[in-house]
Amino acid sequence: MSSKTGALPNDYAAFPDANGRFGDFGGRYVPETLMPLVHELDAAYRAAKADPAFKTELDSFLTHYVGRPSPLYFAERLTAHFGGAKIYLKREELNHTGSHKINNCMGQILLAMRMGKTRIIAETGAGQHGVATATVCARFGLPCVVYMGAVDVERQKPNVFRMNLLGAEVRAVTSGSATLKDAMNEALRDWVTNVEDTYYLIGTAAGMHPYPEMVRDFQSVIGREVREQIMAMEGRLPDAVVACIGGGSNAIGIFHPFLADEGVKLIGVEAAGQGMETGRHAAAINGGRPGVLHGNMTYLIQDREGQIEEAHSISAGLDYPGVGPEHSWLHDVGRATYLTATDLESLDAFKLCAELEGILPAIESAHALARLGDVARDIGKDGIVVLNLSGRGDKDVATVAAHLGMEI
Amino acid sequence: MTTARIDKRFADLKAEGRGAFVAYVMAGDPDLATATKILAGLPAAGADLIELGFPFSDPMAEGPPIQRAAQRALAKGMTLKGVLDMVRVFRKTDQTTPIILMGYTNPLVTWGYEAFARDAGEAGVDGIIVVDTPPEEAEGLADALDAAQVSLIRLATPTSDDARLATIVRRTSGFVYYVSVAGVTGVKAANAEQVAPHVERVRKASGLPVAVGFGIRTPEMAAAIARVADAAVVGSALVDEIAEAVEMNEDVTERVLLKVSSLAKAVRGARVGQKATV
């Protein structure tokens, strides 16, 4: 399907429309049982968004519980190493629970409580969103069930244990390919079964409207802070903003406040897995085509028949065959550029960041780091590049060790 | 005109004073040859209408039985084109039993709505249920189906209030499928007493016959539903028979059609001595 959007919008930030569409992408492709709930959620979110008390409450928790604002850090040694633009890292890995995921979870749990919901469900891939959800559920005393693919449960054991410590029940999903997409199917099946009391806390800027918009709004705190911080430190906006893309919540969070600034290049990095040419990747935009999954029209990795194919990435957090609908649209209208990085390139970037900056990045964020040198050199010496360091890499040390042929 | 088959079937059954038995099977489960034999045998075994699932890799509203049926079918290479071929073969011997396809949006998006609706109509499909295309997203599909004279069958659910029902029944024809429980297929059990007032509500809102499904497993339950609704749909319980027969190395076709017979018999006897409710 080709895009019918054609002309560039006057105001990128005006999307989605009332039907949850970003051009052709987005929408609400869910079973009828869920439609009234999706409308209810939409209405509740509009009301919360318009309520200053909701913002005050959220901001207070973001400051005192999450630890915002996160620093914007001049990465002097990475800058020198690449020999191009000045590199700044947005330190989302310093948030409570170790990634950007908590920004969204805090917003949604406050919304769930406003709606009178008493039970929280979530899906998780790497476990970062699961941990962040379990954390806010513990903080506010709500029962929490996290669906996680059985394959991911196996490769992310420390996060499973963290969720259990936080009081969440982790349900291993064995259906389908037993990874993130199947965890999302199972969470949707739970929601359709428990319509009275349950709030589905989706972790990425995908799924049915209003989730892509809502998750983006809650994550946009990242980009808003970057604007203020870079103006204070450099007196001008950056030339490029770089972020990794699975579903794309950290990327849309840092991109969105810059959409109207055409001089700021927005660069997403998808997971190329073992290489785009092998077909074993998780790059929906670069290696897929538009279709419908999990409630929205978006780029998907799928076969000729429209059956969804398994994604492949060293990073459980990027191992998803789709991408948020706003990214699909930003790609089609040309406002953002989507590159790829392989497993091996990301491992090299992981080591580089550890050795030069003393920061273990999440293997997800390492995908963005893997393209950072190209971007910095392309922008050149007088330029400024901001990279969203969306999570910390402690959870990945076993994976990295295994790939380096070491045992720990 | 293909949609006429559904209307005629319900009108005939109304005249007979009984509800319809609707059998759901997954196209290509456990393999194309067996599924074709099962499909051909359904009318004689007592299926008044047939729902033919078309497999999707990520069926978010299905419980484990139909999830596994879809996986079995896909593993054997079932395609949407193959599903229409099955219908074509069926129509060579049966011109009267309505066939309703049931599945998910993405394979249809891949084919293209207009081309698919035309090809489905030509193959002898009477209606289609697309589980993850609610009215909000259905305009393009509904236009294509109208042009091909294939019915868009909508789902109404326990979460559908009267305002929502008005939205659901717009642009629908043939019948309305009432989902008896909030949940996925084949897990919770339907309760005829609780379902009855909802069936009445849906009938009033739509002016169409109402079929009830999700959670009907036994002849007794099917009969109870057929007393209050225009049709009882059984899917997961039939699919389970297929799975078990494969596992036990039994004759799959014989076993599933035997189950269909017992369910159909119960539905046919359900209103004996009872005045027609429609």
Side-chain angles (χ1 to χ4, degrees), chain B residues 191-235:
Chain B
N191 177 314
E193 238 173 87
Q194 285 169 11
V195 161
H198 293 290
V199 169
E200 210 40 61
R201 240 165 26 94
V202 178
R203 265 192 202 128
K204 227 173 246 164
S206 65
L208 292 170
V210 177
V212 173
F214 280 47
I216 305 173
R217 299 195 66 86
T218 63
E220 294 73 28
M221 286 164 84
I225 291 291
R227 276 184 211 109
V228 300
D230 302 292
V233 188
V234 178

Side-chain angles (χ1 to χ4, degrees), chain A residues 1 19 21 26-37 39 175-177 181-182 185-186 188-190 192-196 208 289-295 297 300 302-309, chain B residues 55-63 67 71 74 78-81 104-111 113 131-137 154-161 164 168 179 181-184 188 214:
Chain A
M1 197 180 86
N19 295 315
R21 291 281 178 169
R28 286 169 288 210
Y29 293 89
V30 295
E32 183 55 40
T33 306
L34 288 180
M35 279 310 289
L37 286 79
H39 283 296
S175 62
S177 57
K181 84 175 171 79
D182 308 286
N185 287 332
E186 220 46 50
L188 284 162
R189 289 173 188 137
D190 181 313
V192 91
T193 306
N194 299 290
V195 293
E196 297 299 329
M208 65 295 290
R289 62 182 160 76
V292 172
L293 178 69
H294 295 152
M297 169 81 70
L300 298 173
Q302 53 183 321
D303 71 11
R304 287 170 51 188
E305 291 284 322
Q307 305 296 341
I308 308 306
E309 294 189 305
Chain B
F56 182 50
S57 52
D58 294 80
M60 65 160 119
E62 311 301 342
Q67 288 175 37
Q71 282 176 351
L74 289 173
M78 198 62 197
T79 62
L80 195 50
K81 182 180 172 297
Y104 290 79
T105 308
N106 201 44
L108 307 181
V109 168
T110 303
W111 192 303
Y113 290 152
V131 178
D132 58 344
T133 293
E136 282 81 348
E137 306 296 347
R154 286 268 165 75
L155 303 174
T157 80
T159 61
S160 314
D161 61 16
R164 184 69 196 164
I168 291 169
V179 175
V181 293
V184 295
K188 288 183 183 171
F214 280 47

Side-chain angles (χ1 to χ4, degrees), chain A residues 247-312:
Chain A
S249 71
N250 90 82
I252 204 68
I254 198 167
F255 287 179
H256 195 259
F258 293 101
L259 286 182
D261 305 299
E262 301 267 5
V264 180
K265 286 185 184 167
L266 306 175
I267 299 166
V269 183
E270 295 191 300
Q274 295 168 15
M276 294 304 292
E277 71 288 351
T278 66
R280 295 177 66 80
H281 60 77
I285 291 176
N286 281 282
R289 62 182 160 76
V292 172
L293 178 69
H294 295 152
N296 68 125
M297 169 81 70
T298 194
Y299 278 87
L300 298 173
I301 299 169
Q302 53 183 321
D303 71 11
R304 287 170 51 188
E305 291 284 322
Q307 305 296 341
I308 308 306
E309 294 189 305
E310 253 180 87
H312 295 277

Side-chain angles (χ1 to χ4, degrees), chain A residues 168-202:
Chain A
E169 179 192 343
V170 178
R171 293 190 187 162
V173 176
T174 54
S175 62
S177 57
T179 57
L180 179 54
K181 84 175 171 79
D182 308 286
M184 200 153 178
N185 287 332
E186 220 46 50
L188 284 162
R189 289 173 188 137
D190 181 313
W191 197 23
V192 91
T193 306
N194 299 290
V195 293
E196 297 299 329
D197 61 349
T198 296
Y199 183 95
Y200 181 15
L201 208 163
I202 293 184

Side-chain angles (χ1 to χ4, degrees), chain B residues 68-113:
Chain B
R68 288 192 290 257
Q71 282 176 351
R72 286 193 295 270
L74 289 173
K76 287 286 169 76
M78 198 62 197
T79 62
L80 195 50
K81 182 180 172 297
V83 177
L84 295 189
D85 288 342
M86 276 181 69
V87 177
R88 271 187 209 100
V89 170
F90 177 85
R91 282 280 171 251
K92 284 180 185 164
T93 55
D94 188 312
Q95 289 294 322
T96 56
T97 307
I99 291 191
I100 319 299
L101 299 187
M102 184 164 181
Y104 290 79
T105 308
N106 201 44
L108 307 181
V109 168
T110 303
W111 192 303
Y113 290 152

